[in-house]
Short mmCIF file of all heavy atoms in Angstrom, two decimals:
data_model
loop_
_atom_site.label_atom_id
_atom_site.label_comp_id
_atom_site.label_asym_id
_atom_site.label_seq_id
_atom_site.Cartn_x
_atom_site.Cartn_y
_atom_site.Cartn_z
N MET A 132 205.98 135.75 -35.24
CA MET A 132 207.20 135.12 -35.59
C MET A 132 207.32 133.79 -34.86
O MET A 132 207.03 133.65 -33.64
CB MET A 132 208.39 136.01 -35.20
CG MET A 132 209.60 135.59 -35.87
SD MET A 132 210.94 136.83 -35.55
CE MET A 132 211.12 137.50 -37.15
N THR A 133 207.69 132.78 -35.57
CA THR A 133 207.77 131.46 -34.93
C THR A 133 209.19 131.17 -34.39
O THR A 133 210.16 131.84 -34.82
CB THR A 133 207.41 130.30 -35.95
OG1 THR A 133 208.28 130.39 -37.02
CG2 THR A 133 205.99 130.45 -36.42
N ALA A 134 209.24 130.26 -33.51
CA ALA A 134 210.50 130.03 -32.77
C ALA A 134 211.69 129.63 -33.69
O ALA A 134 212.80 130.11 -33.36
CB ALA A 134 210.34 128.93 -31.74
N PRO A 135 211.57 128.87 -34.77
CA PRO A 135 212.72 128.53 -35.51
C PRO A 135 213.37 129.78 -36.20
O PRO A 135 214.50 129.74 -36.57
CB PRO A 135 212.20 127.62 -36.64
CG PRO A 135 211.01 127.01 -36.04
CD PRO A 135 210.40 128.08 -35.18
N LEU A 136 212.64 130.86 -36.29
CA LEU A 136 213.15 132.04 -36.94
C LEU A 136 213.81 133.01 -35.95
O LEU A 136 214.40 134.07 -36.36
CB LEU A 136 212.06 132.79 -37.68
CG LEU A 136 211.39 132.00 -38.88
CD1 LEU A 136 210.28 132.74 -39.45
CD2 LEU A 136 212.44 131.56 -39.86
N LEU A 137 213.75 132.69 -34.65
CA LEU A 137 214.26 133.55 -33.60
C LEU A 137 215.75 133.16 -33.28
O LEU A 137 216.06 131.96 -33.32
CB LEU A 137 213.43 133.51 -32.35
CG LEU A 137 212.00 133.99 -32.48
CD1 LEU A 137 211.26 133.74 -31.18
CD2 LEU A 137 211.99 135.41 -32.84
N THR A 138 216.53 134.06 -32.96
CA THR A 138 217.92 133.72 -32.49
C THR A 138 217.82 133.24 -31.03
O THR A 138 216.73 133.46 -30.32
CB THR A 138 218.82 134.92 -32.55
OG1 THR A 138 218.32 135.95 -31.64
CG2 THR A 138 218.91 135.51 -33.97
N LEU A 139 218.87 132.67 -30.51
CA LEU A 139 218.88 132.23 -29.17
C LEU A 139 218.73 133.38 -28.19
O LEU A 139 218.02 133.30 -27.19
CB LEU A 139 220.18 131.50 -28.87
CG LEU A 139 220.36 130.98 -27.46
CD1 LEU A 139 219.28 130.00 -27.07
CD2 LEU A 139 221.70 130.30 -27.25
N ALA A 140 219.34 134.49 -28.49
CA ALA A 140 219.23 135.67 -27.65
C ALA A 140 217.79 136.18 -27.57
O ALA A 140 217.28 136.55 -26.53
CB ALA A 140 220.14 136.81 -28.18
N GLN A 141 217.07 136.14 -28.70
CA GLN A 141 215.65 136.55 -28.75
C GLN A 141 214.81 135.62 -27.88
O GLN A 141 213.91 136.07 -27.13
CB GLN A 141 215.11 136.65 -30.13
CG GLN A 141 215.74 137.79 -30.96
CD GLN A 141 215.37 137.69 -32.40
OE1 GLN A 141 215.32 136.56 -33.01
NE2 GLN A 141 215.10 138.83 -33.01
N ILE A 142 215.06 134.37 -27.97
CA ILE A 142 214.29 133.39 -27.13
C ILE A 142 214.55 133.58 -25.70
O ILE A 142 213.64 133.61 -24.89
CB ILE A 142 214.66 131.93 -27.61
CG1 ILE A 142 214.18 131.70 -29.04
CG2 ILE A 142 214.08 130.94 -26.66
CD1 ILE A 142 214.64 130.43 -29.66
N LEU A 143 215.80 133.77 -25.30
CA LEU A 143 216.17 134.02 -23.92
C LEU A 143 215.57 135.31 -23.43
O LEU A 143 215.08 135.36 -22.24
CB LEU A 143 217.64 134.04 -23.74
CG LEU A 143 218.43 132.75 -23.92
CD1 LEU A 143 219.91 132.96 -23.86
CD2 LEU A 143 217.90 131.75 -22.88
N ASN A 144 215.51 136.36 -24.23
CA ASN A 144 214.89 137.62 -23.86
C ASN A 144 213.39 137.45 -23.63
O ASN A 144 212.82 138.00 -22.67
CB ASN A 144 215.19 138.72 -24.87
CG ASN A 144 216.60 139.23 -24.80
OD1 ASN A 144 217.30 139.08 -23.85
ND2 ASN A 144 217.05 139.72 -25.98
N ARG A 145 212.75 136.70 -24.46
CA ARG A 145 211.32 136.44 -24.30
C ARG A 145 211.01 135.61 -23.04
O ARG A 145 210.04 135.89 -22.38
CB ARG A 145 210.74 135.79 -25.55
CG ARG A 145 210.68 136.79 -26.76
CD ARG A 145 210.02 136.22 -27.93
NE ARG A 145 210.12 137.21 -29.01
CZ ARG A 145 209.34 137.18 -30.13
NH1 ARG A 145 208.51 136.14 -30.24
NH2 ARG A 145 209.43 138.05 -30.98
N LEU A 146 211.87 134.64 -22.79
CA LEU A 146 211.72 133.86 -21.59
C LEU A 146 211.78 134.76 -20.37
O LEU A 146 211.05 134.67 -19.37
CB LEU A 146 212.70 132.71 -21.49
CG LEU A 146 212.44 131.52 -22.35
CD1 LEU A 146 213.62 130.58 -22.32
CD2 LEU A 146 211.18 130.78 -21.76
N THR A 147 212.78 135.64 -20.37
CA THR A 147 213.02 136.59 -19.31
C THR A 147 211.82 137.52 -19.05
O THR A 147 211.36 137.64 -17.97
CB THR A 147 214.29 137.42 -19.52
OG1 THR A 147 215.45 136.57 -19.70
CG2 THR A 147 214.59 138.37 -18.34
N LEU A 148 211.35 138.06 -20.18
CA LEU A 148 210.17 138.94 -20.05
C LEU A 148 208.92 138.20 -19.49
O LEU A 148 208.19 138.74 -18.64
CB LEU A 148 209.86 139.57 -21.36
CG LEU A 148 210.84 140.67 -21.86
CD1 LEU A 148 210.49 141.12 -23.32
CD2 LEU A 148 210.80 141.83 -20.95
N THR A 149 208.74 137.01 -20.03
CA THR A 149 207.59 136.22 -19.57
C THR A 149 207.69 135.89 -18.07
O THR A 149 206.69 135.98 -17.31
CB THR A 149 207.50 134.96 -20.37
OG1 THR A 149 207.34 135.29 -21.76
CG2 THR A 149 206.26 134.10 -19.94
N ALA A 150 208.88 135.54 -17.65
CA ALA A 150 209.09 135.24 -16.20
C ALA A 150 208.85 136.47 -15.39
O ALA A 150 208.26 136.42 -14.28
CB ALA A 150 210.49 134.67 -15.94
N ARG A 151 209.30 137.62 -15.84
CA ARG A 151 209.10 138.89 -15.03
C ARG A 151 207.61 139.22 -14.98
O ARG A 151 207.11 139.68 -13.92
CB ARG A 151 209.92 140.00 -15.67
CG ARG A 151 211.37 139.94 -15.43
CD ARG A 151 212.11 141.01 -16.04
NE ARG A 151 213.55 140.95 -15.85
CZ ARG A 151 214.44 141.70 -16.44
NH1 ARG A 151 214.03 142.62 -17.27
NH2 ARG A 151 215.70 141.50 -16.21
N TRP A 152 206.89 139.09 -16.09
CA TRP A 152 205.47 139.35 -16.12
C TRP A 152 204.72 138.43 -15.17
O TRP A 152 203.84 138.79 -14.44
CB TRP A 152 204.85 139.23 -17.47
CG TRP A 152 205.28 140.27 -18.45
CD1 TRP A 152 205.65 141.58 -18.15
CD2 TRP A 152 205.30 140.19 -19.90
NE1 TRP A 152 205.95 142.19 -19.31
CE2 TRP A 152 205.77 141.37 -20.40
CE3 TRP A 152 205.01 139.16 -20.79
CZ2 TRP A 152 205.89 141.65 -21.75
CZ3 TRP A 152 205.21 139.37 -22.11
CH2 TRP A 152 205.61 140.63 -22.56
N THR A 153 205.21 137.14 -15.18
CA THR A 153 204.59 136.19 -14.27
C THR A 153 204.77 136.55 -12.77
O THR A 153 203.79 136.49 -12.03
CB THR A 153 205.14 134.76 -14.59
OG1 THR A 153 204.91 134.45 -15.92
CG2 THR A 153 204.50 133.70 -13.64
N LEU A 154 205.99 136.96 -12.45
CA LEU A 154 206.28 137.34 -11.09
C LEU A 154 205.47 138.57 -10.69
O LEU A 154 205.00 138.67 -9.54
CB LEU A 154 207.77 137.59 -10.90
CG LEU A 154 208.60 136.42 -10.78
CD1 LEU A 154 210.09 136.76 -10.66
CD2 LEU A 154 208.15 135.52 -9.54
N ARG A 155 205.28 139.52 -11.63
CA ARG A 155 204.51 140.68 -11.33
C ARG A 155 202.99 140.28 -11.07
O ARG A 155 202.38 140.70 -10.13
CB ARG A 155 204.60 141.70 -12.44
CG ARG A 155 203.88 142.99 -12.17
CD ARG A 155 203.72 143.84 -13.44
NE ARG A 155 202.88 143.18 -14.35
CZ ARG A 155 203.04 143.26 -15.71
NH1 ARG A 155 204.03 143.96 -16.20
NH2 ARG A 155 202.26 142.59 -16.50
N ASP A 156 202.52 139.44 -11.86
CA ASP A 156 201.10 138.99 -11.77
C ASP A 156 200.86 138.12 -10.52
O ASP A 156 199.79 138.15 -9.93
CB ASP A 156 200.60 138.28 -12.97
CG ASP A 156 200.57 139.15 -14.21
OD1 ASP A 156 200.55 140.34 -14.02
OD2 ASP A 156 200.53 138.61 -15.38
N HIS A 157 201.86 137.34 -10.15
CA HIS A 157 201.73 136.42 -9.00
C HIS A 157 202.35 136.92 -7.73
O HIS A 157 202.70 136.16 -6.83
CB HIS A 157 202.35 135.01 -9.39
CG HIS A 157 201.45 134.29 -10.42
ND1 HIS A 157 200.62 133.30 -9.98
CD2 HIS A 157 201.36 134.39 -11.73
CE1 HIS A 157 200.01 132.83 -11.11
NE2 HIS A 157 200.47 133.48 -12.15
N GLN A 158 202.56 138.24 -7.64
CA GLN A 158 203.16 138.84 -6.43
C GLN A 158 202.19 138.63 -5.26
O GLN A 158 201.01 138.96 -5.37
CB GLN A 158 203.50 140.28 -6.67
CG GLN A 158 204.19 140.91 -5.53
CD GLN A 158 204.55 142.37 -5.89
OE1 GLN A 158 204.14 142.88 -6.90
NE2 GLN A 158 205.30 142.99 -4.97
N PRO A 159 202.68 138.18 -4.13
CA PRO A 159 201.77 137.89 -2.99
C PRO A 159 201.12 139.18 -2.56
O PRO A 159 201.66 140.23 -2.53
CB PRO A 159 202.71 137.40 -1.90
CG PRO A 159 203.92 136.93 -2.62
CD PRO A 159 204.11 137.75 -3.87
N ALA A 160 199.85 138.97 -2.13
CA ALA A 160 199.05 140.06 -1.57
C ALA A 160 199.51 140.31 -0.15
O ALA A 160 200.29 139.59 0.38
CB ALA A 160 197.54 139.69 -1.62
N PRO A 161 198.96 141.33 0.53
CA PRO A 161 199.35 141.61 1.89
C PRO A 161 199.10 140.44 2.86
O PRO A 161 199.80 140.31 3.88
CB PRO A 161 198.46 142.81 2.28
CG PRO A 161 198.20 143.50 1.05
CD PRO A 161 198.16 142.36 -0.04
N ASP A 162 198.15 139.55 2.51
CA ASP A 162 197.92 138.39 3.38
C ASP A 162 198.86 137.27 3.13
O ASP A 162 198.83 136.17 3.72
CB ASP A 162 196.49 137.86 3.20
CG ASP A 162 196.12 137.35 1.86
OD1 ASP A 162 197.00 137.51 0.91
OD2 ASP A 162 195.06 136.90 1.59
N GLY A 163 199.82 137.38 2.12
CA GLY A 163 200.83 136.40 1.82
C GLY A 163 200.47 135.38 0.84
O GLY A 163 201.27 134.50 0.47
N ARG A 164 199.24 135.51 0.26
CA ARG A 164 198.74 134.53 -0.71
C ARG A 164 198.91 135.14 -2.13
O ARG A 164 198.71 136.34 -2.34
CB ARG A 164 197.36 134.09 -0.47
CG ARG A 164 197.19 133.39 0.83
CD ARG A 164 195.80 132.86 1.03
NE ARG A 164 194.76 133.82 0.74
CZ ARG A 164 193.53 133.52 0.53
NH1 ARG A 164 193.09 132.26 0.56
NH2 ARG A 164 192.67 134.51 0.26
N CYS A 165 199.07 134.25 -3.15
CA CYS A 165 199.04 134.68 -4.53
C CYS A 165 197.66 135.11 -4.92
O CYS A 165 196.69 134.36 -4.62
CB CYS A 165 199.57 133.49 -5.41
SG CYS A 165 199.45 133.84 -7.15
N PRO A 166 197.51 136.28 -5.56
CA PRO A 166 196.16 136.70 -5.85
C PRO A 166 195.49 135.91 -7.01
O PRO A 166 194.25 135.85 -7.09
CB PRO A 166 196.34 138.11 -6.38
CG PRO A 166 197.77 138.20 -6.79
CD PRO A 166 198.49 137.25 -5.95
N ILE A 167 196.24 135.14 -7.76
CA ILE A 167 195.74 134.35 -8.85
C ILE A 167 195.50 132.89 -8.40
O ILE A 167 194.39 132.35 -8.54
CB ILE A 167 196.64 134.39 -10.05
CG1 ILE A 167 196.67 135.87 -10.61
CG2 ILE A 167 196.16 133.43 -11.15
CD1 ILE A 167 197.68 136.04 -11.74
N CYS A 168 196.46 132.31 -7.75
CA CYS A 168 196.42 130.89 -7.35
C CYS A 168 195.79 130.77 -6.01
O CYS A 168 195.32 129.67 -5.65
CB CYS A 168 197.78 130.30 -7.35
SG CYS A 168 198.73 130.35 -8.88
N ARG A 169 195.78 131.77 -5.21
CA ARG A 169 195.16 131.77 -3.80
C ARG A 169 195.84 130.80 -2.88
O ARG A 169 195.22 130.20 -2.03
CB ARG A 169 193.64 131.43 -3.88
CG ARG A 169 192.87 132.44 -4.62
CD ARG A 169 192.81 133.69 -3.88
NE ARG A 169 191.87 134.65 -4.56
CZ ARG A 169 191.99 135.99 -4.50
NH1 ARG A 169 192.92 136.48 -3.65
NH2 ARG A 169 191.25 136.78 -5.14
N VAL A 170 197.20 130.60 -3.10
CA VAL A 170 197.96 129.77 -2.14
C VAL A 170 199.09 130.60 -1.62
O VAL A 170 199.52 131.57 -2.24
CB VAL A 170 198.44 128.51 -2.86
CG1 VAL A 170 197.33 127.57 -3.26
CG2 VAL A 170 199.26 128.81 -4.07
N ALA A 171 199.64 130.17 -0.45
CA ALA A 171 200.72 130.85 0.17
C ALA A 171 202.00 130.70 -0.60
O ALA A 171 202.83 131.64 -0.70
CB ALA A 171 200.92 130.43 1.60
N ASP A 172 202.27 129.48 -1.09
CA ASP A 172 203.52 129.22 -1.82
C ASP A 172 203.17 128.92 -3.25
O ASP A 172 202.94 127.77 -3.63
CB ASP A 172 204.29 128.00 -1.14
CG ASP A 172 205.61 127.77 -1.81
OD1 ASP A 172 206.21 128.71 -2.32
OD2 ASP A 172 206.12 126.62 -1.71
N CYS A 173 203.20 129.92 -4.10
CA CYS A 173 202.73 129.76 -5.50
C CYS A 173 203.79 129.07 -6.30
O CYS A 173 204.90 129.55 -6.44
CB CYS A 173 202.43 131.20 -6.09
SG CYS A 173 201.96 131.20 -7.79
N ALA A 174 203.45 127.96 -6.89
CA ALA A 174 204.36 127.12 -7.70
C ALA A 174 204.71 127.87 -8.98
O ALA A 174 205.85 127.81 -9.49
CB ALA A 174 203.74 125.79 -8.03
N VAL A 175 203.80 128.64 -9.52
CA VAL A 175 204.13 129.43 -10.80
C VAL A 175 205.14 130.47 -10.54
O VAL A 175 206.05 130.65 -11.32
CB VAL A 175 202.80 130.04 -11.32
CG1 VAL A 175 203.06 130.93 -12.51
CG2 VAL A 175 201.78 128.96 -11.66
N ALA A 176 205.02 131.22 -9.41
CA ALA A 176 206.03 132.23 -9.09
C ALA A 176 207.36 131.59 -8.78
O ALA A 176 208.42 132.08 -9.18
CB ALA A 176 205.60 133.06 -7.90
N SER A 177 207.36 130.46 -8.14
CA SER A 177 208.58 129.75 -7.81
C SER A 177 209.37 129.32 -9.12
O SER A 177 210.53 129.42 -9.27
CB SER A 177 208.37 128.52 -6.95
OG SER A 177 207.90 128.90 -5.72
N ALA A 178 208.60 128.82 -10.08
CA ALA A 178 209.10 128.42 -11.38
C ALA A 178 209.76 129.59 -12.09
O ALA A 178 210.75 129.55 -12.70
CB ALA A 178 208.06 127.70 -12.24
N ALA A 179 209.01 130.73 -12.05
CA ALA A 179 209.51 132.01 -12.72
C ALA A 179 210.83 132.48 -12.04
O ALA A 179 211.76 132.82 -12.71
CB ALA A 179 208.46 133.04 -12.64
N ARG A 180 210.84 132.43 -10.68
CA ARG A 180 212.02 132.80 -9.99
C ARG A 180 213.22 131.87 -10.36
O ARG A 180 214.31 132.31 -10.57
CB ARG A 180 211.82 132.79 -8.47
CG ARG A 180 211.27 134.08 -7.96
CD ARG A 180 211.31 134.14 -6.43
NE ARG A 180 210.47 133.12 -5.81
CZ ARG A 180 209.12 133.27 -5.61
NH1 ARG A 180 208.54 134.36 -5.94
NH2 ARG A 180 208.48 132.28 -4.99
N ASN A 181 212.93 130.58 -10.42
CA ASN A 181 214.01 129.60 -10.76
C ASN A 181 214.53 129.83 -12.21
O ASN A 181 215.71 129.73 -12.40
CB ASN A 181 213.50 128.19 -10.63
CG ASN A 181 213.25 127.83 -9.21
OD1 ASN A 181 213.77 128.42 -8.27
ND2 ASN A 181 212.44 126.79 -8.98
N LEU A 182 213.61 130.11 -13.14
CA LEU A 182 214.02 130.43 -14.47
C LEU A 182 214.92 131.63 -14.50
O LEU A 182 215.96 131.63 -15.20
CB LEU A 182 212.75 130.62 -15.38
CG LEU A 182 213.10 131.03 -16.84
CD1 LEU A 182 213.74 129.82 -17.54
CD2 LEU A 182 211.87 131.50 -17.51
N LEU A 183 214.53 132.73 -13.89
CA LEU A 183 215.36 133.93 -13.87
C LEU A 183 216.71 133.67 -13.21
O LEU A 183 217.78 134.19 -13.73
CB LEU A 183 214.62 135.05 -13.16
CG LEU A 183 213.47 135.67 -13.90
CD1 LEU A 183 212.72 136.68 -13.03
CD2 LEU A 183 213.89 136.27 -15.20
N THR A 184 216.73 132.89 -12.15
CA THR A 184 218.04 132.58 -11.49
C THR A 184 218.91 131.77 -12.49
O THR A 184 220.06 132.04 -12.56
CB THR A 184 217.80 131.76 -10.23
OG1 THR A 184 216.98 132.53 -9.37
CG2 THR A 184 219.11 131.39 -9.56
N THR A 185 218.37 130.80 -13.14
CA THR A 185 219.13 129.99 -14.10
C THR A 185 219.63 130.83 -15.23
O THR A 185 220.81 130.70 -15.66
CB THR A 185 218.23 128.85 -14.63
OG1 THR A 185 217.76 128.09 -13.46
CG2 THR A 185 219.01 127.94 -15.53
N LEU A 186 218.78 131.64 -15.75
CA LEU A 186 219.17 132.52 -16.88
C LEU A 186 220.31 133.47 -16.44
O LEU A 186 221.24 133.71 -17.20
CB LEU A 186 218.03 133.37 -17.47
CG LEU A 186 217.02 132.55 -18.28
CD1 LEU A 186 215.77 133.41 -18.57
CD2 LEU A 186 217.60 131.96 -19.46
N LYS A 187 220.16 133.98 -15.24
CA LYS A 187 221.20 134.93 -14.75
C LYS A 187 222.52 134.25 -14.55
O LYS A 187 223.63 134.78 -14.85
CB LYS A 187 220.70 135.53 -13.39
CG LYS A 187 221.60 136.62 -12.92
CD LYS A 187 221.01 137.25 -11.64
CE LYS A 187 221.89 138.34 -11.13
NZ LYS A 187 221.29 138.94 -9.91
N GLN A 188 222.49 132.97 -14.13
CA GLN A 188 223.73 132.25 -13.87
C GLN A 188 224.42 131.77 -15.17
O GLN A 188 225.65 131.63 -15.20
CB GLN A 188 223.45 130.98 -12.99
CG GLN A 188 223.08 131.32 -11.57
CD GLN A 188 222.65 130.08 -10.77
OE1 GLN A 188 222.44 128.99 -11.36
NE2 GLN A 188 222.52 130.26 -9.50
N THR A 189 223.58 131.51 -16.19
CA THR A 189 224.17 130.87 -17.39
C THR A 189 224.45 131.87 -18.52
O THR A 189 225.12 131.56 -19.47
CB THR A 189 223.27 129.84 -17.92
OG1 THR A 189 221.99 130.34 -18.19
CG2 THR A 189 223.08 128.65 -16.96
N ARG A 190 223.89 133.08 -18.42
CA ARG A 190 224.00 134.05 -19.51
C ARG A 190 225.38 134.69 -19.53
O ARG A 190 225.87 135.12 -18.49
CB ARG A 190 222.89 135.12 -19.45
CG ARG A 190 222.91 136.04 -20.63
CD ARG A 190 221.81 136.97 -20.58
NE ARG A 190 220.64 136.26 -21.02
CZ ARG A 190 219.44 136.85 -21.27
NH1 ARG A 190 219.31 138.13 -21.12
NH2 ARG A 190 218.43 136.15 -21.65
N TRP A 191 226.00 134.67 -20.69
CA TRP A 191 227.28 135.40 -20.86
C TRP A 191 226.98 136.86 -20.99
O TRP A 191 226.27 137.32 -21.81
CB TRP A 191 228.06 134.83 -22.05
CG TRP A 191 229.34 135.59 -22.30
CD1 TRP A 191 230.43 135.48 -21.58
CD2 TRP A 191 229.58 136.48 -23.34
NE1 TRP A 191 231.42 136.34 -22.07
CE2 TRP A 191 230.94 136.91 -23.14
CE3 TRP A 191 228.86 136.97 -24.47
CZ2 TRP A 191 231.55 137.80 -24.03
CZ3 TRP A 191 229.47 137.89 -25.28
CH2 TRP A 191 230.82 138.30 -25.04
N THR A 192 227.57 137.64 -20.14
CA THR A 192 227.30 139.07 -20.09
C THR A 192 228.24 139.92 -20.94
O THR A 192 228.01 141.06 -21.32
CB THR A 192 227.30 139.62 -18.62
OG1 THR A 192 228.58 139.35 -18.08
CG2 THR A 192 226.23 138.95 -17.82
N GLY A 193 229.42 139.35 -21.22
CA GLY A 193 230.40 140.13 -21.97
C GLY A 193 231.17 141.19 -21.27
O GLY A 193 231.71 142.07 -21.80
N ASN A 194 231.12 141.13 -19.89
CA ASN A 194 231.74 142.16 -19.12
C ASN A 194 233.16 141.82 -18.76
O ASN A 194 233.78 142.49 -17.97
CB ASN A 194 230.95 142.44 -17.83
CG ASN A 194 230.82 141.20 -17.01
OD1 ASN A 194 231.37 140.19 -17.24
ND2 ASN A 194 230.03 141.33 -15.86
N GLY A 195 233.72 140.76 -19.32
CA GLY A 195 235.12 140.39 -19.01
C GLY A 195 235.25 139.37 -17.88
O GLY A 195 236.39 138.91 -17.69
N ASP A 196 234.23 139.11 -17.14
CA ASP A 196 234.36 138.15 -16.08
C ASP A 196 234.51 136.69 -16.62
O ASP A 196 235.23 135.91 -16.01
CB ASP A 196 233.11 138.15 -15.11
CG ASP A 196 233.07 139.46 -14.40
OD1 ASP A 196 234.15 140.15 -14.26
OD2 ASP A 196 231.96 139.81 -13.89
N THR A 197 233.80 136.39 -17.66
CA THR A 197 233.90 135.06 -18.29
C THR A 197 234.45 135.22 -19.67
O THR A 197 234.14 136.16 -20.42
CB THR A 197 232.50 134.38 -18.33
OG1 THR A 197 231.62 135.23 -18.99
CG2 THR A 197 232.00 134.11 -16.98
N PRO A 198 235.34 134.24 -20.06
CA PRO A 198 235.91 134.36 -21.43
C PRO A 198 234.81 134.08 -22.45
O PRO A 198 233.94 133.35 -22.27
CB PRO A 198 237.00 133.32 -21.37
CG PRO A 198 236.58 132.33 -20.35
CD PRO A 198 235.77 133.14 -19.34
N ASP A 199 235.02 134.73 -23.59
CA ASP A 199 234.16 134.52 -24.77
C ASP A 199 234.55 133.18 -25.33
O ASP A 199 235.68 132.95 -25.78
CB ASP A 199 234.35 135.67 -25.76
CG ASP A 199 233.42 135.59 -26.89
OD1 ASP A 199 232.56 134.61 -26.96
OD2 ASP A 199 233.38 136.48 -27.75
N PRO A 200 233.56 132.22 -25.43
CA PRO A 200 233.88 130.91 -25.94
C PRO A 200 234.34 130.92 -27.42
O PRO A 200 234.97 130.01 -27.89
CB PRO A 200 232.55 130.15 -25.76
CG PRO A 200 231.49 131.17 -25.62
CD PRO A 200 232.14 132.37 -25.04
N TRP A 201 233.93 131.96 -28.18
CA TRP A 201 234.26 131.98 -29.58
C TRP A 201 235.70 132.47 -29.82
O TRP A 201 236.26 132.31 -30.89
CB TRP A 201 233.28 132.84 -30.32
CG TRP A 201 231.88 132.38 -30.18
CD1 TRP A 201 230.94 132.88 -29.42
CD2 TRP A 201 231.34 131.19 -30.75
NE1 TRP A 201 229.78 132.16 -29.47
CE2 TRP A 201 230.04 131.08 -30.29
CE3 TRP A 201 231.82 130.21 -31.59
CZ2 TRP A 201 229.14 130.03 -30.66
CZ3 TRP A 201 230.98 129.17 -31.96
CH2 TRP A 201 229.69 129.07 -31.53
N GLN A 202 236.29 133.16 -28.89
CA GLN A 202 237.67 133.68 -28.96
C GLN A 202 238.75 132.58 -28.90
O GLN A 202 239.81 132.76 -29.41
CB GLN A 202 237.93 134.72 -27.95
CG GLN A 202 237.09 135.98 -28.02
CD GLN A 202 237.36 136.69 -29.34
OE1 GLN A 202 238.45 136.72 -29.81
NE2 GLN A 202 236.31 137.25 -29.86
N SER A 203 238.45 131.38 -28.29
CA SER A 203 239.40 130.37 -28.14
C SER A 203 239.56 129.50 -29.42
O SER A 203 240.44 128.66 -29.49
CB SER A 203 239.04 129.50 -26.96
OG SER A 203 237.78 128.86 -27.18
N ARG A 204 238.75 129.76 -30.38
CA ARG A 204 238.78 128.90 -31.62
C ARG A 204 239.77 129.46 -32.64
O ARG A 204 240.07 130.56 -32.75
CB ARG A 204 237.39 128.79 -32.25
CG ARG A 204 236.52 128.01 -31.39
CD ARG A 204 235.22 127.79 -31.99
NE ARG A 204 234.39 127.03 -31.10
CZ ARG A 204 233.19 126.61 -31.36
NH1 ARG A 204 232.68 126.81 -32.51
NH2 ARG A 204 232.53 125.88 -30.50
#
């Protein structure tokens, strides 16, 4: 399925899954280095963590903490 046929929620879910898979694959080994990149501070893992943080901060959860933007119309 191509991106224009996906809803925003589907795209966000796929981004979330991809970031989680990336963090799993780039989890530091016991020596503190990324097993794929072989560096101590993996830029790929940092980008995945930043993406998950941003998605968590911006996603409307519907739990009543934030108002539904569609209800005010």
Side-chain angles (χ1 to χ4, degrees):
M132 193 175 250
T133 58
L136 301 176
L137 298 175
T138 65
L139 179 59
Q141 290 171 322
I142 293 170
L143 291 174
N144 286 338
R145 288 184 182 197
L146 281 171
T147 302
L148 287 174
T149 302
R151 287 179 180 171
W152 289 334
T153 301
L154 283 176
R155 184 190 64 215
D156 293 343
H157 288 260
Q158 185 174 6
D162 64 355
R164 296 186 312 163
C165 172
I167 297 173
C168 302
R169 299 288 183 207
V170 293
D172 188 24
C173 178
V175 176
S177 295
R180 274 191 296 277
N181 290 342
L182 176 69
L183 288 174
T184 301
T185 302
L186 288 173
K187 187 176 183 180
Q188 291 173 350
T189 59
R190 186 173 283 190
W191 177 70
T192 58
N194 60 5
D196 292 341
T197 56
D199 185 357
W201 300 107
Q202 295 297 326
S203 62
R204 292 184 180 186

